Amino acid sequence: EDQVTQSPEALRLQEGESSSLNCSYTVSGLRGLFWYRQDPGKGPEFLFTLYSAGEEKEKERLKATLTKKESFLHITAPKPEDSATYLCAVQDNSGAGSYQLTFGKGTKLSVIP
Amino acid sequence: SQTIHQWPATLVQPVGSPLSLECTVEGTSNPNLYWYRQAAGRGLQLLFYSVGIGQISSEVPQNLSASRPQDRQFILSSKKLLLSDSGFYLCAGRWGTEKLFFGSGTQLSVL
């Protein structure tokens, strides 16, 4: 069974204070790892897909990296508008699992001005 | 572009009442469609997915059901709601790639 654990559950940062969110995963064979951003009362919004260890992707102040057991979402010089819950999900490469993603519980990020 | 429409945004229902949540999608035909539930303090839980009209796979035994009468329509139903059915319900779609597009969600409160 695929498992995704995100840490910390909540993170408070001062504006400009860089940090990282962690996503540890267990999957029989990784087809893809996904990061989403979710604002309160809204559906998740796609950020990145990573497919293999060593891969990195960037978007504005966010950078996602992937190893064989975990992924990090690095936030550089965050702004208050980066406050949201960040979700990590994995998709395995088995026949049944290829149709679904397994999500972590998320990290709630608060950036204080 | 792919868009997921869900309504209503919020819904308050008494225990034992029926439920029908509708999701419609815009974009290329034949998407895979999904219903997720998000409860407070828990991750997104996959409830149902569909790879085509009339094809439904259930992931969690419960008193909910799903149907896909048209390619771009996905419906979540219940004959009698339970308190434990409260949560944030999300419809999602996938077109060819692994990326999921989500709707804006329905916050269901069963009282």
Side-chain angles (χ1 to χ4, degrees), chain A residues 51-94:
Chain A
Y51 294 102
S52 57
E55 189 175 359
E56 299 182 352
K57 292 205 175 160
E58 288 188 67
K59 179 181 181 180
E60 296 181 352
R61 295 176 292 281
L62 301 176
K63 177 180 169 181
T65 62
L66 180 66
T67 72
K68 289 186 177 179
K69 294 186 176 182
E70 57 191 352
S71 176
F72 292 93
L73 185 65
H74 307 277
I75 303 176
T76 302
K79 298 182 177 181
E81 54 262 41
D82 294 322
S83 298
T85 295
Y86 291 85
L87 301 174
C88 174
V90 297
Q91 182 181 25
D92 71 39
N93 56 17
S94 68

Side-chain angles (χ1 to χ4, degrees), chain A residues 31 34 36 38 41-46 49 51 87 91 96 98-106, chain B residues 32 34 36 38 41-44 46 49 51 59 88 90 94 97-105:
Chain A
R31 183 166 179 169
F34 304 82
Y36 284 84
Q38 186 176 23
K42 302 285 182 64
E45 178 184 340
F46 172 79
T49 308
Y51 294 102
L87 301 174
Q91 182 181 25
S98 65
Y99 291 111
Q100 54 185 276
L101 303 186
T102 300
F103 283 84
K105 295 181 180 181
Chain B
N32 289 346
Y34 305 79
Y36 283 88
Q38 189 174 36
R42 302 182 65 179
L44 282 166
L46 179 63
Y49 69 90
V51 300
E59 294 298 309
F88 190 51
L90 288 157
R94 189 178 73 172
T97 68
E98 293 83 3
K99 181 169 66 177
L100 281 176
F101 292 86
F102 285 89
S104 55

Side-chain angles (χ1 to χ4, degrees), chain B residues 25-76:
Chain B
V25 305
E26 294 180 21
T28 309
S29 62
N30 200 32
N32 289 346
L33 297 177
Y34 305 79
W35 278 110
Y36 283 88
R37 179 170 60 201
Q38 189 174 36
R42 302 182 65 179
L44 282 166
Q45 180 186 34
L46 179 63
L47 301 176
F48 302 94
Y49 69 90
S50 171
V51 300
I53 296 173
Q55 300 180 64
I56 307 295
S57 295
S58 174
E59 294 298 309
V60 181
Q62 58 209 331
N63 69 321
L64 299 173
S65 62
S67 62
R68 186 170 177 178
Q70 301 179 41
D71 181 54
R72 298 163 196 263
Q73 185 183 30
F74 202 26
I75 299 171
L76 183 69

Side-chain angles (χ1 to χ4, degrees), chain A residues 8-68:
Chain A
E9 291 184 9
L11 181 63
R12 287 171 61 93
L13 299 173
Q14 291 292 321
E15 184 173 0
E17 178 187 3
S18 301
S19 187
S20 297
L21 313 182
N22 177 264
C23 171
S24 298
Y25 64 90
T26 303
V27 64
S28 55
L30 182 68
R31 183 166 179 169
L33 184 140
F34 304 82
W35 282 99
Y36 284 84
R37 169 191 170 128
Q38 186 176 23
D39 293 307
K42 302 285 182 64
E45 178 184 340
F46 172 79
L47 292 174
F48 304 108
T49 308
L50 301 168
Y51 294 102
S52 57
E55 189 175 359
E56 299 182 352
K57 292 205 175 160
E58 288 188 67
K59 179 181 181 180
E60 296 181 352
R61 295 176 292 281
L62 301 176
K63 177 180 169 181
T65 62
L66 180 66
T67 72
K68 289 186 177 179

